[in-house]
Amino acid sequence: MIWLLDLDNTLVSRDDAFAAWAAAAVAAAGGSDADLAAIVAADGGGFAPKRDVARVIVDRLGGDADLDAVVEEFRAGIRDHVRVYDGVLDTLDVLRGAGHQVAVVTNGVSHQQRGKIERCGLGDHVDTVVVSGEEGVEKPDPRLIEIALERLGAADVDRRRVWMIGDAAHTDVAVGRAARTRTGWVSHGRSWTGGARPDVHAPTAREVIALAAEGHWRVPVQP
């Protein structure tokens, strides 16, 4: 089986990291709870344009009006605060120990995504990492999955043996469907509103992987 896994809010706590950085920045600037709420809301779970987020930060907290510098400041703050979710590294090791292949497939700029992976020690627990900012294409474009499979030496694999798992319906689940893989959604307790349901869903990546691996979808697992 091949496991293609999103990074942010799937394997690592990106939103928690942004919120932690924002809370410290608001406190340092003497801001309010309303300022913090506005900054977190502007981030849009990491999907909002970064300069738009920076503009809200400057409007709320003052300081440097160089939006690109503010973007780099909060990106660095995310890297400083990001953590891998409990049990994720063990889960990846179990998969690979059973002969499965594992890849991180993530949207984002190279230095940011690679920095999170290094911070969390993920690199030694997966077979390859594919970052959209390095490839010129991003989820939900299925070409990013094709790149991942090529790097794993599995370009021609039966797509029923491939799982794309992530927390975002419009990128992770959508790219899996576009590439004809199995799909798993990390819900974090949310209700599904994205149309046709993914093959598996659960609150955490560990639980999604466990459900997918347990069922195997009647397709034998091959090393």
Side-chain angles (χ1 to χ4, degrees), residues 14-189:
R14 185 267 174 206
D15 284 359
D16 290 345
F18 179 83
W21 170 84
V26 168
S32 66
D33 289 345
D35 292 325
L36 177 58
I39 291 168
V40 171
D43 179 56
F47 290 105
K50 299 300 181 282
R51 285 173 59 87
D52 291 353
V53 180
R55 195 178 307 278
V56 172
I57 292 169
V58 171
D59 289 346
R60 286 284 180 167
L61 304 183
D64 193 345
D66 182 339
L67 297 185
D68 291 333
V70 175
V71 169
E72 287 310 312
E73 180 182 348
F74 72 70
R75 278 178 168 160
I78 291 170
R79 295 195 302 271
D80 287 343
H81 288 90
V82 74
R83 298 290 184 273
V84 66
Y85 288 120
D86 289 346
V88 161
L89 299 183
D90 288 342
T91 298
L92 300 181
D93 289 345
V94 167
L95 292 176
R96 296 176 77 212
H100 301 205
Q101 292 177 290
V102 179
V104 173
V105 181
T106 178
N107 285 355
V109 298
S110 178
H111 75 277
Q112 184 69 357
Q113 302 308 83
R114 297 277 179 184
K116 293 172 196 169
I117 288 167
E118 181 177 0
R119 167 80 176 186
C120 294
L122 275 165
D124 292 336
H125 301 267
V126 300
D127 296 296
T128 193
V129 174
V130 178
V131 181
S132 70
E134 299 171 358
E135 306 300 337
V137 60
E138 64 181 23
K139 297 177 289 185
D141 191 316
R143 285 179 292 175
L144 205 63
I145 283 184
E146 302 299 337
I147 291 168
L149 293 176
E150 286 174 7
R151 290 198 184 158
L152 293 170
D156 297 326
V157 69
D158 183 343
R159 297 305 167 89
R160 293 174 300 171
R161 301 184 186 277
V162 182
W163 282 90
M164 177 65 221
I165 293 172
D167 69 297
H170 68 292
T171 55
D172 303 316
V173 176
V175 76
R177 286 184 176 144
R180 306 181 312 282
T181 71
R182 304 292 190 187
T183 56
W185 181 56
V186 181
S187 70
H188 296 295

